[in-house]
Amino acid sequence: MEYLDFEQPIQELEEQLSKCLIIGKESDVDVTETCEQIENKLVKTRTDIYKNLTAWQRVQLSRHPSRPYTLDFIKALTKGTFMELHGDRNVKDDKAMIGGLGKIGDQSYMFIGQQKGFNTKTRQFRNFGMANPEGYRKALRLMKMAEKFGIPVVTLIDTPGAYPGLEAEERGQGEAIARNIFEMTILKTPIISIVIGEGASGGAVGIGVGDRVYMMENTWYTVISPESCSSILWRSWDHKEEAAESLKLTAKDMKKQGLIDGIIKEPFGGAHSNRAEAFAIVEKQIVKTYAELSKLTIKKLIKERMDKYDSMGVFNA
C-alpha cells in the first residue's frame, strides 16, 4: 500500500496497529484494549482526512499509483467480453488511446479511453496517457462504427493532456481534437463520458462531449494542471495548491458550475482503496444512464446534447 503525503497519519496508525496485533499474537500480553484504542483513533483520523480533502489533495488521489486505470475499469465492467480495436486507418495505432467493444450484461457498448502505464516500461509504451492525433482519430473511427450499428459509446477520461510534441502538431493535433468535438456533438448514438482520473484540457475534451458527463469523486477536470498554472502565474510549482483551489477543478465545483451532470461516489479513501466497489458503482451508473438515454429518439438526443453545451457559460446579469 502506497500512501500520499497527507495520508501519513493514517500510515503511522496502521503500522502501530499492525505491531500491536503482532505483539498480542506472539506473546502472552493482553493488548486488546490498546489495539481497540488505536483502531478507534484510526477510524477518526481517516474520517477527518477524507471528509475534508482540499482540491490539491483530490488531484493527488486522482494520480494515486494504485488507482484503477481505463483498462482496469473496462475489464471489470465487461467481464471478459472486451474486444480491443486498433488503428486510425491512416498513421498507426496510438497506444495511449484504447477502444473496443464489450458488454455489460446483455448490452454492447463501445468503450474508448486514455490508458496510462503502471510502471516505467508501460508508461513509456502508453506515452503516459497522452494521445497523439492518430489516437483521437482512432477514437472517432470507433465512435462512427458505434453510430453505424446503434451501439452506445462510453468514454473514460484519464489524461494529463494531449501529447504536445512537435510531431503531434505536424500531424494536426488541434484539428483532430476539434473534429472529435464537432462529430461527437452530432453523433447519432448515446454518449456517456466519465472522468476516472485526470481530465486535463483538450486532451480530455477530445473524447468528453457526452449526453451525460460524470466525474468520480476524487478526480479533476480543467483547462490546465495546477502545476502548469502555477508555473505560468508564479514562475514556480510552489503555488500548485493555491492554483488547484483557484481553478475550481473538483467534481463538486464542476457540478456547481453546471459543466458536468453528476458525481460518482468513490469508496471511502478513494477508488484504489476498494477497486471492486469502485467498478460496481461505475457499472451501476452506466447501466442507469443508458436506460434513461435509450428512451430518447435520436433527434431529441442530439438536440438535448447541443442545447446542453450551448447553455454553458451563459450567465444572467
Side-chain angles (χ1 to χ4, degrees), residues 9 11 35 50 59 102 112 129 131 135 151 156 222 227 245 251 297 302 309:
Q11 181 181 6
C35 288
Y50 293 126
V59 171
I112 299 168
I151 298 170
L156 302 174
T222 189
E227 295 94 331
E245 291 291 342
T297 64
I302 294 174
Y309 285 95

Side-chain angles (χ1 to χ4, degrees), residues 9-10 12-22 31-48 268:
I10 296 172
E12 291 171 4
L13 286 169
E14 287 185 343
E15 288 174 353
Q16 288 177 22
L17 180 59
S18 179
K19 290 176 182 177
C20 183
L21 293 171
I22 291 171
V31 294
T32 304
E33 186 177 344
T34 304
C35 288
E36 286 180 355
Q37 290 175 352
I38 297 173
E39 283 180 341
N40 292 336
K41 190 174 182 181
L42 179 59
V43 170
K44 185 180 184 304
T45 302
R46 279 178 175 276
T47 303
D48 291 342
F268 192 68

Side-chain angles (χ1 to χ4, degrees), residues 258-273:
L259 299 176
I260 63 170
D261 299 288
I263 301 170
I264 299 176
K265 295 286 288 183
E266 293 186 20
F268 192 68
H272 62 282
S273 65

Side-chain angles (χ1 to χ4, degrees), residues 163-288:
Y163 184 59
L166 177 62
E167 61 270 31
E169 297 299 336
E170 289 175 340
R171 293 196 297 273
Q173 184 73 287
E175 187 278 335
I177 292 172
R179 172 62 59 181
N180 277 25
I181 294 171
F182 171 74
E183 295 288 355
M184 290 182 79
T185 305
I186 57 174
L187 198 73
K188 299 181 179 68
T189 194
I191 308 171
I192 303 168
S193 298
I194 303 174
V195 182
I196 61 169
E198 299 184 271
S201 195
V205 179
I207 59 168
V209 180
D211 297 291
R212 299 288 186 273
V213 180
Y214 300 101
M215 288 177 67
M216 295 190 73
E217 189 178 7
N218 295 310
T219 63
W220 60 277
Y221 197 14
T222 189
V223 70
I224 191 171
S225 71
E227 295 94 331
S228 296
C229 178
S230 177
S231 67
I232 291 171
L233 296 181
W234 289 280
R235 300 291 189 270
S236 167
W237 280 18
D238 295 339
H239 297 270
K240 55 186 179 291
E241 293 92 341
E242 185 179 344
E245 291 291 342
S246 300
L247 284 167
K248 303 298 181 186
L249 46 68
T250 66
K252 186 176 180 180
D253 291 324
M254 295 292 285
K255 181 69 172 67
K256 184 178 179 181
Q257 294 174 49
L259 299 176
I260 63 170
D261 299 288
I263 301 170
I264 299 176
K265 295 286 288 183
E266 293 186 20
F268 192 68
H272 62 282
S273 65
N274 190 333
R275 286 184 165 214
E277 185 180 346
F279 297 147
I281 294 170
V282 170
E283 178 179 340
K284 183 178 179 181
Q285 186 67 64
I286 291 172
V287 171
K288 178 184 176 185

